[in-house]
Amino acid sequence: MAPEVAAPLKKALITGITGQDGSYLTEFLLKKGYEVHGIIRRSSNFNTQRLEHVYIDPHQSSARMKLHYGDLSDASALRKWVDSICPDEVYNLGAQSHVGVSFENPDYTGDVVGTGALRLLEAVRIHIESTGRQVKYYQAGSSEMYGATPPPQDETTVFHPRSPYAVAKVAAHFYTVNYREAYGMFACNGILFNHESPRRGENFVTRKITRAIGRIKVGLQKKLYLGNLKASRDWGFAGDYVEGMWLMLQQEKPDDYVLATEDSHTVEEFLEESFSYVGLNWRDHVEIDPRYFRPSEVDNLRGSAKKAKEMLKWEPKVQFKQLVAMMVDADLEKAKREKVLVDAGFIDSHQQP
């Protein structure tokens, strides 16, 4: 009797693998038995910190995560990696994803977020056409696409983007819809409302707040400067949302889905919850800086995930208070380690994250 041949590992290709969502998705797919490939931009500074805990030297046979240099602005590199890796699933998470920065760098944001998605879709389309393989594609959408449209927002809600980032995400959304309809590609849009974690970038408001709380608590910082405290967002945990991404690509037919907690809070409410968690009053430390107001604000985002709950059987597990506690705890520990370095004279206490 011939020995059984192990089924080949499913392969996933992720752009934006070094970001918050990319790192959680990588963990999730590795646990599912995938071989994970990520496209990273060349930088003179290491930018793979979020992946260090799952990294295995590629020379070892047990390594199932591999990183490749490329960029969403480089169509030839995208085509090369899709053809050489032959992924079963492609997750386009890469972006210039900071709304405020998109007002300062609109051309770059539009190129990477909007046209970058088109380049990747075209690379996948050509690969499918030339090989006959099926490749499933996930496009990371954003609740920012709804902009000025009042909540609750779902898959049928009209988009009214209010930033260059949001406009570019709308373009990427409809490129994905077009490739699905024109070429029969298995291409899904995931319209994810705000999702946070201890791995969130430190210039995003939730992480900016929890990072400051840790530093204030240990005496490294006194003030936190913010902009619009009345903006309301539907905040969930990034680790929950990557499961939803994967579930979209496991369905019989491609479609678009909203992922949200269906509960919204203002920035001021986030401040109240997070500062009070460590016994502080946010009003003693927060000052308003006009530079953090945007040319056009988005007042209220709150999603309806009814379709995802019914079709994908997806549910967010981490609620608002748990999310805040998780982030504050992590940043308090980070600040304590930083304080040790300050006290030893290795770094300046006035250095701001």
Side-chain angles (χ1 to χ4, degrees):
M1 183 176 178
E4 289 187 9
V5 178
L9 298 178
K10 289 183 78 172
K11 293 181 182 179
L13 174 61
I14 303 173
T15 69
I17 193 171
T18 59
Q20 170 190 250
D21 293 5
S23 67
Y24 281 112
L25 180 60
T26 297
E27 283 180 5
F28 179 85
L29 294 176
L30 288 173
K31 289 177 181 176
K32 289 284 184 184
Y34 280 64
E35 180 177 300
V36 178
H37 294 258
I39 293 178
I40 62 172
R41 289 174 295 164
R42 169 71 178 93
S43 173
S44 44
N45 296 317
F46 284 111
N47 59 353
T48 55
Q49 296 91 336
R50 294 183 179 99
L51 297 171
E52 286 176 352
H53 62 292
V54 294
Y55 180 81
I56 297 175
D57 189 307
H59 298 96
Q60 298 186 28
S61 60
S62 59
R64 289 190 289 113
M65 183 190 73
K66 301 175 183 179
L67 303 177
H68 314 276
Y69 287 116
D71 198 290
L72 284 167
S73 64
D74 187 343
S76 61
L78 296 176
R79 174 74 192 279
K80 176 183 72 175
W81 290 124
V82 170
D83 284 344
S84 61
I85 294 167
C86 293
D88 299 288
E89 298 170 1
V90 173
Y91 295 86
N92 185 27
L93 311 184
Q96 188 301 99
S97 59
H98 195 283
V99 174
V101 171
S102 77
F103 285 101
E104 299 177 17
N105 295 282
D107 288 6
Y108 174 75
T109 301
D111 182 51
V112 171
V113 177
T115 310
L118 177 61
R119 294 185 187 105
L120 185 56
L121 279 162
E122 184 66 1
V124 173
R125 182 192 71 79
I126 293 171
H127 177 77
I128 292 171
E129 186 179 85
S130 62
T131 65
R133 300 179 65 249
Q134 184 189 50
V135 182
K136 296 182 177 182
Y137 177 92
Y138 171 84
Q139 172 61 38
S142 169
S143 59
E144 289 289 332
M145 299 189 298
Y146 296 116
T149 306
Q153 296 104 352
D154 64 15
E155 295 83 2
T156 64
T157 302
V158 174
F159 297 139
H160 187 155
R162 300 266 287 170
S163 67
Y165 167 74
V167 172
K169 279 294 187 183
V170 170
H173 176 95
F174 283 113
Y175 282 140
T176 304
V177 172
N178 179 247
Y179 270 63
R180 182 170 69 216
E181 295 176 350
Y183 304 112
M185 285 176 57
F186 194 110
C188 298
N189 284 295
I191 307 172
L192 275 55
F193 280 67
N194 292 65
H195 43 290
E196 319 297 314
S197 77
R199 300 181 198 172
R200 187 61 138 152
E202 293 183 12
N203 58 349
F204 288 83
V205 67
T206 52
R207 186 73 199 289
K208 185 176 180 180
I209 291 169
T210 61
R211 185 78 173 94
I213 288 170
R215 289 172 56 86
I216 290 169
K217 192 68 177 176
V218 301
L220 294 177
Q221 186 173 330
K222 292 181 178 179
K223 294 293 182 181
L224 168 62
Y225 297 93
L226 297 173
N228 181 13
L229 303 187
K230 300 302 180 185
S232 185
R233 295 292 185 269
D234 184 330
W235 279 303
F237 173 53
D240 290 341
Y241 284 55
V242 298
E243 180 184 15
M245 299 176 189
W246 176 78
L247 286 169
M248 292 178 204
L249 299 193
Q250 311 314 308
Q251 305 307 302
E252 289 187 12
K253 295 180 180 179
D255 207 344
D256 305 326
Y257 300 89
V258 163
L259 300 184
T261 69
E262 304 183 333
D263 183 26
S264 62
H265 298 269
T266 64
V267 175
E268 186 172 320
E269 288 171 332
F270 193 99
L271 284 168
E272 183 67 43
E273 180 67 29
S274 55
F275 271 82
S276 64
Y277 180 74
V278 294
L280 296 174
N281 185 338
W282 69 267
R283 291 177 178 83
D284 295 334
H285 303 281
V286 174
E287 292 189 11
I288 302 302
D289 186 337
R291 82 179 75 179
Y292 294 123
F293 283 87
R294 294 162 183 171
S296 49
E297 293 281 350
V298 173
D299 296 326
N300 194 356
L301 296 175
R302 176 168 50 84
S304 171
K306 180 180 179 182
K307 181 178 176 180
K309 290 178 179 180
E310 291 180 354
M311 303 295 292
L312 306 179
K313 309 303 178 188
W314 177 85
E315 291 275 353
K317 300 177 182 68
V318 177
Q319 301 306 312
F320 179 70
K321 287 181 179 291
Q322 295 171 279
L323 175 65
V324 172
M326 175 197 307
M327 294 179 68
V328 173
D329 285 341
D331 276 325
L332 187 55
E333 289 304 310
K334 185 180 180 74
K336 288 175 181 176
R337 294 193 297 270
E338 188 178 358
K339 182 70 159 56
V340 172
L341 296 176
V342 170
D343 291 345
F346 291 112
I347 62 174
D348 186 345
S349 63
H350 298 295
Q351 285 180 325
Q352 295 289 318

